[in-house]
Amino acid sequence: MSKTVLISGASIAGPSTAFWLNRLGYSTTVVERAPALREGGQAVDFRGEQMAVLRRMGLLEEIRAHQTSMGEQHILDASGKRVASLPASMISGEVEIQRGDLSRVLYEATKDRTEYVFGDWITSLTETGSGVEVTFAHGAPRTVDLVIGADGLHSGVRALAFGPESRFRTEMGYACAGFSAPNHLRLDHTGLIYNVLGRGVTYAAQDPEGPASVGFVFAADGLSYDRKDEDQVKKVIAEVYAGVGWEVPRLLEAMHAASDLYFDELAHVYLPRYTSGRVALVGDAGWGVGPGGGGTGLAMMAAYVLAGELSAAAGDHRAAFPRYEAAVRPAAEAGAKQAKGTGPFLAPRTARGLWLRNQSHRMLTTRMFSGVFDKMTLKAANTLKLKDYGI
């Protein structure tokens, strides 16, 4: 039976995998490139079958204690006038929590049985007949039984074990940015969505006295920038939103002062396999679907399935990994299909597209169509049904 497992990534998928493997008696180590847990980030939500994994972990009540409890999100026109309102169930699911808060909950639930190594990363993987020899940027080499890549869309483990990211990545034609800002509109458990053609802004807050969470989503064809150069990224965003009215000038000022800026292009990662030898991928590392695809909930469900299949196979990864892939892939593909509409929804490129977006959501939020609306938002979340593995 495989006993030592090295996990790359300490955000959501990594600690979730460690949580379940710890219950099976595995010795787990999580290595994270950042010097500490990443704070902040946009809110993530759970709905439908995704709630089952939170209950199985025994963490649902703690997550509810940190939930955002957000209400409606209001769509505004170019003059700032409300034209449609989206129910909390669409944006926030059954429970919503800030990504940083969720990461902390998972860390606290695993830190006593998992070794966490911050400020380091994997530089090579060499599989042998009995394990994987691993080298690191700073730490001493190790030999482990299994390696789990849970290190996000730009996964280093995926690049080492499967090939360069460009081989698997498809751009969706949009980019997104998120950061914290002063809540100068004093929003209280609500949010706003503002648009001009090809550019969208989301502005939400839980507390009129607390910070706001700001998101920019915009059409991005042929952007040229260094993702690791934050000053350059801020310049790109400022240029895209130059001249946009409403509250955008104040939000751009807040962006320049923000210490928690996140930026990336919306993309989908597709791999024909999520495992290779003794290496398995979980979450965005294996099937990055982008915002709107229920990726966080699926990552936590997949961590449970991976551990469950290892348990069912008595630790034999050669039997467990194919079953893990077969169980998770339909849900990953459903999430990817759902996420394709995120960019066009948040930043329609044409006047007709913007009008149709607003009209469709006015219709879908009426009592007559509410059942159709709920079915749409739950479809991807309910694709994967969790089995009882006895863990």
Side-chain angles (χ1 to χ4, degrees), residues 47 71-75 82-91 193 345 356-377:
R47 63 190 72 209
E72 290 184 324
Q73 308 280 294
H74 306 298
I75 296 176
R82 186 185 305 181
V83 295
S85 295
L86 306 176
S89 61
M90 177 182 180
I91 303 296
I193 300 173
F345 167 71
L356 287 173
R357 191 276 307 270
N358 292 346
Q359 292 300 314
S360 66
H361 282 86
R362 281 175 177 163
M363 180 181 69
L364 287 171
T365 53
T366 62
R367 182 176 301 177
M368 180 183 297
F369 289 95
S370 61
V372 175
F373 182 83
D374 291 341
K375 185 176 180 180
M376 289 170 57
T377 59

Side-chain angles (χ1 to χ4, degrees), residues 84-167:
S85 295
L86 306 176
S89 61
M90 177 182 180
I91 303 296
S92 304
E94 294 177 53
V95 62
E96 182 184 67
I97 182 173
Q98 294 292 336
R99 177 173 288 276
D101 290 338
L102 178 59
S103 179
R104 176 66 60 180
V105 167
L106 293 170
Y107 171 75
E108 293 293 335
T110 54
K111 66 178 184 178
D112 292 339
R113 298 179 63 183
T114 296
E115 176 192 15
Y116 279 85
V117 179
F118 291 98
D120 207 351
W121 61 94
I122 298 169
T123 55
S124 72
L125 300 170
T126 303
E127 188 165 340
T128 66
S130 58
V132 185
E133 296 175 355
V134 186
T135 62
F136 300 88
H138 304 297
R142 301 189 187 197
T143 298
V144 297
D145 293 305
L146 299 175
V147 174
I148 308 299
D151 43 354
L153 191 66
H154 305 293
S155 169
V157 169
R158 183 181 64 228
L160 291 171
F162 296 82
E165 181 178 315
S166 58
R167 186 183 301 174

Side-chain angles (χ1 to χ4, degrees), residues 16-37:
S16 295
T17 305
F19 179 94
W20 292 109
L21 292 179
N22 289 343
R23 287 198 173 183
L24 296 176
Y26 287 75
S27 174
T28 56
T29 297
V30 173
V31 59
E32 166 59 48
R33 188 168 192 140
L37 284 181

